[in-house]
Amino acid sequence: MKNNRFNQLFKLDQNETTVKREILAGFIGFFAIVYIIAVNSLILSEAGIPLEAAILATIISSVAGCLIMGFYANVPILLVPGMGINALFSYTIVQSMGITWQEALAVVFISGLLFMFIAFSRFAKRLSEAIPQSLKEAITVGLGLFLMLIGLEKGGLVEKGTNSIIALGDLGEPQVLATILTFLIAIILFIRNIPGNFLITVIAGTLLAWLFGLIDVQSAEETAFSFSEYMEVFGVMSFDNILSLTFWIAVFLITMVLVFENIGLTHGHVAFINRPEKFARAFQANSVSAALSGLFGTSPTVATVETTAGMAAGGRTGLTTVTTGVLFLLSAFFIPVIKLIPDSAIAPILMIIGALMLENIRHLDLEDLSESFPAFLIIAMIPFTYSIADGIAVGFILYPILKIAIGKAKEVSLALYVIAGLFLFNFIFHVMS
């Protein structure tokens, strides 16, 4: 009887799958992505969000995202707070642009609403076509370098130099040694494609940190689950500065990353399971989940690369995603343990994810400098300025300038001219003020 209900709800027979296979795929998908609870929470804490509240916000947004995707779109695409965009949230919007984390959550909410408007209309295709592919790829590569830099910094492998901007960290420090050993474990497990490699890395890295005396296990007994602390984050979006230019620049940045990243990932996922007709509903589910993220107290959810782990295990319907969502809900009971996870256990994962994002550089047209040079500037400026916004802005401004200079102004869309003009106006505004 239960199998019949699942079959009717998720159309298992039509997709040539079974309840057992879908649930197993959901478990595999969960263990492939569960590391996001610790990683995302630590990055959100850099914005000032209390760590325990950030952990719960990550869990709740992941549960909601997976359930929305599973029931509404009926595809096995996992939605959790995204890597890269969480760095944009904490390091650029909050730390660099000076927006409070409460205001940043409002930015996420409004960006999600704009994302919904695009997803439920024909603007998704038009907006995607307006931005050159070279700039889209450059943003991904630049985010990858940024994540690698953050990982190296968190692990103590690089630090501020006395005679240079960045220098090698003290290799004799326990934190650095723990990071190096954890990275070796992480990269070996990843290259060998061991299931749940990132989860194993976090566990092994935490044990190594304990052996080096970097964490106190007894503190777990003193840490109790506190829902009241989370209520200080839930729904506390601040719209006090909604009329400021800085606020809307942040909205623009989050929206652009959300739309372009998810267009690519969602297309790839539905193609992987040979269900391209599901793109529209999956993209719409993605947008609703992203908007809710601001309410829940976290950076936006996105379709994850790790989704392919569940798909490779046979996941073909939303039952896979719903299973993963239920497992995320159960993980809330392990918050005291999650809080013990040190930076040295997380840093190697950031470095590997960042390296994977660098692969997109192969898609650049290196023979056309009017395409490649703006892309290279984006790639370099994002990590070097420690600002995703400034890195993107420089590339978007230079692109139309070069096209005009070589007589190819018509290759630039009107939308890109407007976007470049807004970025340029922002730079001029800051210089004049």
Side-chain angles (χ1 to χ4, degrees), residues 31-47 49-51 54-59 61-62 80-91 146-148 150-152 154 182 186 197-203 206 298-300 306 328 335 337-354 357:
F31 285 113
I33 195 60
V34 67
Y35 71 88
I36 198 65
I37 297 175
V39 178
N40 188 65
S41 303
L42 288 172
I43 291 178
L44 291 181
S45 69
E46 299 280 349
I49 298 177
L51 180 59
I55 293 172
L56 199 50
T58 302
I59 291 173
S61 60
S62 299
V80 303
M83 296 300 299
I85 202 166
N86 53 10
L88 173 61
F89 178 93
S90 292
Y91 300 110
F146 194 32
L147 284 178
M148 288 193 73
I150 293 171
L152 290 168
K154 279 186 170 295
T182 304
N197 51 78
F198 282 158
L199 176 61
I200 297 173
T201 296
V202 169
I203 295 172
T206 302
T298 179
S299 53
E306 289 80 5
F328 265 114
I335 287 179
V337 178
I338 294 172
K339 290 181 67 175
L340 290 176
I341 299 172
D343 285 346
S344 60
I346 300 300
I349 295 176
L350 294 177
M351 292 158 60
I352 292 174
I353 293 175
M357 296 172 74

Side-chain angles (χ1 to χ4, degrees), residues 181-205 349 352:
L181 291 175
T182 304
F183 174 76
L184 291 175
I185 294 172
I187 194 65
I188 291 172
L189 291 175
F190 184 80
I191 291 176
R192 292 181 63 87
N193 199 27
I194 302 298
N197 51 78
F198 282 158
L199 176 61
I200 297 173
T201 296
V202 169
I203 295 172
I349 295 176
I352 292 174

